[in-house]
Amino acid sequence: MKKSILSLGLASLLLVGCSEDDFGTGNGGGLGTLNYNVTVLFDDNNPNTTNGNTVANAVVTLVNISTNDTYEIVTNSAGQAIAGNLIPGTYNIKAVKTFTAQEFETLFGYTENAEEIAFNGTLNNTVINVNITAGVIEIKQAKTGDLLIKQIYYAGSNASQGASFRDQFIEIYNNSNEVVYADGLYIAQLFGSNTVNPSTANQPYSLSSGQWDWSQSIGMSLINGNANTDYVYADYVIQIPGSGSQYPIQPGESFVVAQTAVNHKAPLVNNSGEPITINNPDLTIDLSGADFEAYLGDFRISIGELPFNTDIENPAVPNVNIGYWGIPGAYFGNRDLLFDNPGRDSFAIFRDENFQNYGKYPLPNVTTVNASTSHYIQIPANKIIDGVELQNFNPNSPKPKMLPSNVDASSTNTAAAFNSTSVIRKTKNETPTGRKILKDTNNSSDDFVVIRANPRGFAE
């Protein structure tokens, strides 16, 4: 759908791709439509001393969840954006403001080591009707780091013609101009409600978005901060091995973590000795040259279970460490590093020497805890170096956000499951020496595109 950005001086925003007559009127009134006023404010950590907390020239985007109709408007000097001719319904709303380094220093009085500094905020699952015609978005400074999640291949390839889910991988990129060591980096597969269920939203254990209200978990009153905004939760966490300086990542280079580091284009024999034929090698990829693999065979044996049938170890590729897979007696069910094919996962990378002391909590609707109760590990949001929110490819079954908006203001997704495609960051620019700098505004709908899965490749 075509989008356009209008300044507030143009009076109001038109429904993208439609004329006023589409609503049964030619005078701009819009049959059955209304105006919605969005006020954008800086969060308390970044007060704009020149103009209070209001944010001028922020881009506000509203997306109708049911129709996918998209509206964009720019805030005025008072931080307000009035979207006109809106169809009543439920919307996802985001606000983005990007500063150059000089603009940021002039406004806030200190410098940041970045060419651009982005601020993001969201209002998801917002009902807009005749009774609700205004909202406020508080934007926070987006987190920046040297390492970025560059590519996530979660969709997998055709189950009968390709490699199904066996060829999944995640790729991490050094977007800085200095060497960064991968040693000790944690990669978390986040957990949360994966569907917006009206029957559970607004229940004591759910937020209005449909996401779990982790503040209701048993034992959660012992933490500091807000359980839902200051932390994220994961069921699976892996860690890159190394002594601290064993795995250098050069500027403009990346490392690939494969679920199974084999050539998925070639036939293989599983752990039961059964041959597996690949009927169409073009649908899948060769991961035999991956930098790390998530081989769980030794871990499975250590807990008295058999290795997963297709979790085949490549002795030439270092194994990741198991950071968290649940608690003894209540390990989670994945027998390998399995990503959700429809896209209902989210991912975060972080470092913390205190990881082993992180809290672990049951689901908010659990009323009695015993030895077999599943516990999810709680990760401080301020430790996250980078995060990517994925979304179900089916727009009729969206999942509520798992990541705070300053880590990722929106989400990205492929068009289907098992279609051999991945999500990958756009290339922002290239240095004279050929080093690619990837786009990182902490807004995945803008930062990522979909390509045919291509480890160490780049978006066109």
Coordinates of all heavy atoms in Angstrom, one line a residue, residues 41 64 66 208 367-368:
L41 N 5.8 12.8 23.2 CA 6.6 13.3 24.3 C 7.9 12.6 24.4 O 7.9 11.3 24.2 CB 5.8 13.3 25.6 CG 4.5 14.0 25.7 CD1 3.9 13.7 27.1 CD2 4.6 15.5 25.5
N64 N -4.1 0.2 10.7 CA -5.4 -0.4 11.1 C -5.1 -1.9 11.0 O -4.8 -2.5 10.0 CB -6.5 -0.1 10.1 CG -7.8 -0.6 10.5 OD1 -8.0 -1.8 10.7 ND2 -8.8 0.3 10.6
S66 N -7.1 -4.5 11.2 CA -8.0 -5.3 10.4 C -7.8 -5.1 8.9 O -7.8 -6.1 8.2 CB -9.4 -4.9 10.8 OG -9.7 -5.2 12.1
S208 N -3.4 -5.2 28.6 CA -4.4 -4.9 27.6 C -3.9 -5.2 26.2 O -4.8 -5.5 25.3 CB -4.7 -3.4 27.7 OG -3.5 -2.6 27.4
T367 N -0.8 -20.6 39.7 CA -1.1 -20.3 41.1 C -0.4 -21.2 42.1 O -0.3 -20.8 43.3 CB -2.6 -20.5 41.4 OG1 -3.0 -21.8 41.0 CG2 -3.4 -19.5 40.5
T368 N 0.2 -22.3 41.7 CA 0.9 -23.2 42.6 C 2.2 -23.7 41.9 O 2.1 -24.1 40.7 CB 0.1 -24.4 43.0 OG1 -1.1 -24.0 43.6 CG2 0.9 -25.3 43.9

